[in-house]
Amino acid sequence: MGVEMIQKELEGIDIRYQEPLKNYTYTKVGGKADYLVFPHNRYELARVVRFANKVGIPWMVLGNASNIIVRDGGIRGFVIMFDKLNSMTVNGYTIEAEAGAKLIEATHLALRHSLTGFEFACGIPGSIGGAVFMNAGAYGGEIAHVLTSCKVLTREGELKTLTGQELKFGYRHSAIQTTGDIVISAKFALRPGVYSMIQQEMDRLTHLRELKQPLEYPSCGSVFKRPVGNFAGQLISEAGLKGYRMGGVEVSQKHAGFMVNVDGGTALDYESLIAYVVDQVKEQSGITLEREVRIIGEA
């Protein structure tokens, strides 16, 4: 389908053509999207989804591309980013945030209103939508502990509300990963707290994260899920892989559970390094690491 037809049918919506996704991903890798879309609201989003379904153009939501690797061949069809769907409101002890709002900013909003329960997420990069999608967590907390409901857009372009129970949360898992629904917004139930104590806990967790994680380089965050009874970073370290590099991507010397883009790395570098690490850890420990980061797009 021609660009002119898409411009006519989706007039007024911010669509960028043949846009390099490496400009938007946390890893700084990724080929071009045929059509990169930034809807301003759920109605624009629904228009894009229904149009794509009608004419048979593939579409997907990229969120804000934090825990993801986009392959160097890019992504065909519509790629939808939620940067402009980012409003947040507080009602009593409840925060409602649109899917494109940054999770870290939601924790700071909770702090400003002296609401506790969200401190665990104060350093997790990524969007609200992505956090719900993968039940993001850290330091003993996870989204499942605070989410009460979320609004989603189905693959058919219909809006509905799901409860936390219906999301069937598990470790880095939600039902949305199999249904294909798109998170539009989410509600989080918090508790009244003391501002200074909330601030102190957020400062403590931020300090821990800065000590342990390679925040100075582009990365996709934690690459592997935590194996039962073990830690991925520890297994990788014990296999002697800290600092091991393929192309421009290396296993972080600060935290082996991370892979960082230190010198113009590509998605292929990431994939090759991930495969190598899995093989080596399996050989050394007998444990098969399971990838947490999603890999999408064309080679």
Side-chain angles (χ1 to χ4, degrees):
M1 174 164 288
V3 169
E4 289 181 6
M5 174 63 76
I6 291 173
Q7 287 174 330
K8 180 182 176 184
E9 292 288 332
L10 298 176
E11 185 179 0
I13 298 176
D14 182 0
I15 303 176
R16 304 169 195 185
Y17 301 88
Q18 292 298 310
E19 185 76 7
L21 291 168
K22 67 180 181 181
N23 296 339
Y24 302 89
T25 59
Y26 275 57
T27 55
K28 301 304 177 192
V29 303
K32 294 178 181 178
D34 288 347
Y35 317 110
L36 185 60
V37 187
F38 293 88
H40 287 87
N41 51 53
R42 68 187 64 178
Y43 307 106
E44 287 191 354
L45 172 62
R47 276 178 64 196
V48 172
V49 167
R50 289 168 186 160
F51 171 75
N53 288 344
K54 183 176 74 172
V55 300
I57 296 177
W59 61 270
M60 66 158 294
V61 171
L62 195 57
N64 79 339
S66 56
N67 197 220
I68 209 161
I69 295 168
V70 178
R71 290 190 173 107
D72 302 311
I75 301 175
R76 305 289 70 80
F78 289 105
V79 176
I80 302 167
M81 295 194 77
F82 281 178
D83 296 43
K84 297 175 181 177
L85 280 162
N86 59 9
S87 71
M88 295 186 289
T89 57
V90 180
N91 184 5
Y93 304 146
T94 299
I95 287 180
E96 182 168 11
E98 287 189 308
K102 287 181 168 49
L103 182 57
I104 290 172
E105 291 181 4
T107 68
H108 286 283
L109 179 63
L111 170 65
R112 289 198 296 275
H113 288 264
S114 297
L115 296 175
T116 186
F118 230 163
E119 292 89 331
F120 72 90
C122 68
I124 300 177
S127 64
I128 292 291
V132 174
F133 178 89
M134 67 174 295
N135 188 22
Y139 301 112
E142 59 185 22
I143 290 296
H145 296 162
V146 290
L147 183 138
T148 56
S149 67
C150 71
K151 290 177 182 168
V152 299
L153 187 75
T154 68
R155 295 295 298 183
E156 295 70 43
E158 302 301 319
L159 287 165
K160 65 179 182 180
T161 300
L162 299 175
T163 64
Q165 191 172 10
E166 288 172 313
L167 287 165
K168 296 182 171 65
F169 283 123
Y171 176 64
R172 300 298 174 264
H173 177 82
S174 74
I176 291 168
Q177 294 176 17
T178 49
T179 63
D181 293 340
I182 306 166
V183 178
I184 302 295
S185 64
K187 284 186 178 179
F188 304 98
L190 305 174
R191 307 181 306 279
V194 178
Y195 182 96
S196 59
M197 294 179 68
I198 299 168
Q199 177 76 72
Q200 187 176 359
E201 177 64 1
M202 289 172 68
D203 288 346
R204 184 182 75 84
L205 296 180
T206 298
H207 179 64
L208 280 177
R209 187 174 290 270
E210 288 172 349
L211 279 178
K212 292 180 178 179
Q213 296 185 9
L215 304 178
E216 63 273 26
Y217 292 111
S219 85
C220 54
S222 182
V223 177
F224 300 104
K225 294 181 180 179
R226 187 179 67 241
V228 176
N230 259 297
F231 294 97
Q234 183 178 341
L235 292 169
I236 296 165
S237 292
E238 289 170 356
L241 295 172
K242 260 192 177 181
Y244 189 87
R245 184 186 295 199
M246 284 192 172
V249 177
E250 75 174 28
V251 176
S252 169
Q253 300 189 48
K254 195 171 186 180
H255 188 316
F258 288 71
M259 293 179 183
V260 290
N261 189 345
V262 294
D263 187 19
T266 65
L268 182 58
D269 294 338
Y270 268 103
E271 285 200 79
S272 301
L273 187 55
I274 288 169
Y276 182 77
V277 166
V278 170
D279 285 345
Q280 292 299 303
V281 168
K282 173 75 169 174
E283 191 176 305
Q284 296 277 337
S285 68
I287 295 171
T288 302
L289 292 176
E290 186 181 349
R291 205 176 66 232
E292 179 175 311
V293 64
R294 293 166 61 214
I295 299 176
I296 59 172
E298 299 187 1

